[in-house]
């Protein structure tokens, strides 16, 4: 017993189970738990924009625009839904199985960041595959929405735009979900504007996709990327940390009312 306690950290975890191993297992459980929801979404997206996007372009006069560019809003709002779902769906189950609140909050932050990176990578690949198909077919891959990038060959800017927007919307969703779970419906509803801060900040700093035209019509200009990119990262990081602080003292059961 003395030998076990003398090893740093060994007294807090049984046997050979380390904190990092537990964290990996929690992350794996989150991935498995949300895989049907995420997989179903991407299947619908693929079918919708391979079929519906092509039909819409043919009806409007020809395939002269990127089909994938019509769907840039969908991953943001779906990602926000993932953030909202995460705590109500998994918190009580994981804590009841011995996962600490601190580890759950850290795992959520890592999961949301990884999901944002994965979704941004999917969007990068979708544009590249589409560009190859359009080039072979002699079609134009014009972009219908304003972006940080002007051509789909600008892979770094595509990844940056989608990663930042999706991360911010996921962080917003996570805060909203925590607010309703911890404080109940009415207080959660009152706190809703605070939960939307990271998503609003990302939209105002990046000025990309559907909201860009509305903002530009008011005379508002996007700040330089050297300001906008760190700004979105900072707001998203602070939002994830706020979620961590809210979860640490949270009761196992959701609040009533």
């Amino acid at each position: 017993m003395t030998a076990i306690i003398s090893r740093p950290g060994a007294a807090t975890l049984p046997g050979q189970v380390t904190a990092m191993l537990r964290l990996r297992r929690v992350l794996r459980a989150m991935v498995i738990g949300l895989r049907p929801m995420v997989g179903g979404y991407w299947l619908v997206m693929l079918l919708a924009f391979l079929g519906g996007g092509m039909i819409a372009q043919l009806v409007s006069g020809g395939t002269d625009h990127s089909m994938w560019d019509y769907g840039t809003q969908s991953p943001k709002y779906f990602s926000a839904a993932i953030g909202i779902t995460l705590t109500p769906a998994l918190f009580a189950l994981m804590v009841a199985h011995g996962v600490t609140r601190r580890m759950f909050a850290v795992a959520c932050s890592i999961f949301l960041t990884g999901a944002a990176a994965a979704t941004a990578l999917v969007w990068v690949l979708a544009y590249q595959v589409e560009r190859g198909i359009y080039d072979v077919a002699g079609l134009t891959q014009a972009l219908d929405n304003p972006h940080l990038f002007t051509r789909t060959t600008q892979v770094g800017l595509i990844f940056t735009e989608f990663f930042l927007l999706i991360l911010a919307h996921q962080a917003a969703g996570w805060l909203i979900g925590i607010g309703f779970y911890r404080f109940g419906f009415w207080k959660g509803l009152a706190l809703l504007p605070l939960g939307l801060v990271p998503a609003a900040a990302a939209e105002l700093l990046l000025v990309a996709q559907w909201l860009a035209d509305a903002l530009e019509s008011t005379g508002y200009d996007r700040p330089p990327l050297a300001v906008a990119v760190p700004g979105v990262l900072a707001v998203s990081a602070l939002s994830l940390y706020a979620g961590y602080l809210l979860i640490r003292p949270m009761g196992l059961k959701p609040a009533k009312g």
Side-chain angles (χ1 to χ4, degrees):
M1 178 65 71
T2 303
I4 294 176
I5 296 176
S6 64
R7 297 200 305 271
T12 60
L13 294 171
Q16 299 300 315
V17 179
T18 63
M20 187 58 67
L21 178 58
R22 280 191 173 184
L23 181 59
R24 288 202 298 268
R25 288 177 176 174
V26 172
L27 285 169
R28 183 171 179 270
M30 288 182 176
V31 171
I32 293 173
L34 293 173
R35 188 163 55 193
M37 178 181 177
V38 176
Y41 165 78
W42 282 110
L43 179 61
V44 171
M45 279 286 292
L46 181 64
L47 295 176
F49 289 99
L50 281 180
M54 181 65 73
I55 292 172
Q57 291 204 60
L58 290 174
V59 169
S60 64
T63 51
D64 58 351
H65 284 75
S66 166
M67 287 187 296
W68 284 106
D69 209 46
Y70 293 128
T72 53
Q73 304 312 308
S74 179
K76 292 192 301 186
Y77 304 134
F78 175 73
S79 297
I82 290 179
I84 292 171
T85 303
L86 198 54
T87 299
L90 300 176
F91 174 74
L93 177 64
M94 289 194 172
V95 173
H97 281 78
V99 177
T100 65
R101 288 163 174 78
R102 177 183 178 185
M103 183 168 288
F104 177 80
V106 171
C108 285
S109 298
I110 296 173
F111 174 82
L112 294 174
T113 303
T119 304
L121 182 59
V122 167
W123 222 254
V124 168
L125 294 175
Y127 275 126
Q128 305 317 306
V129 171
E130 184 186 63
R131 179 165 57 87
I133 295 172
Y134 275 37
D135 287 345
V136 171
L139 303 173
T140 302
Q141 194 192 23
L143 300 174
D144 192 58
N145 293 303
H147 294 284
L148 300 185
F149 54 94
T150 56
R151 303 182 307 277
T152 55
T153 54
Q154 297 171 305
V155 172
L157 288 177
I158 297 174
F159 182 88
T160 299
E161 176 183 317
F162 280 91
F163 173 74
L164 292 176
L165 285 171
I166 290 168
L167 179 62
H169 281 75
Q170 286 186 150
W174 193 40
L175 288 177
I176 292 169
I178 294 171
F180 280 102
Y181 192 96
R182 178 175 173 179
F183 300 110
F185 177 78
W186 293 111
K187 290 182 180 179
L189 192 63
L191 292 171
L192 187 60
L194 292 177
L196 293 173
V197 166
E203 297 286 5
L204 291 172
L205 287 170
L206 297 178
V207 192
Q209 302 179 14
W210 74 272
L211 194 59
D213 289 333
L215 289 173
E216 290 175 354
S217 67
T218 66
Y220 176 81
D221 293 323
R222 179 175 60 218
L225 290 183
V227 174
V229 172
V232 177
L233 285 173
V235 172
S236 298
L238 288 173
S239 300
L240 293 176
Y241 183 64
Y244 169 85
L245 295 177
L246 288 169
I247 283 177
R248 288 291 301 274
M250 192 161 69
L252 192 60
K253 294 182 179 180
K256 296 180 180 180

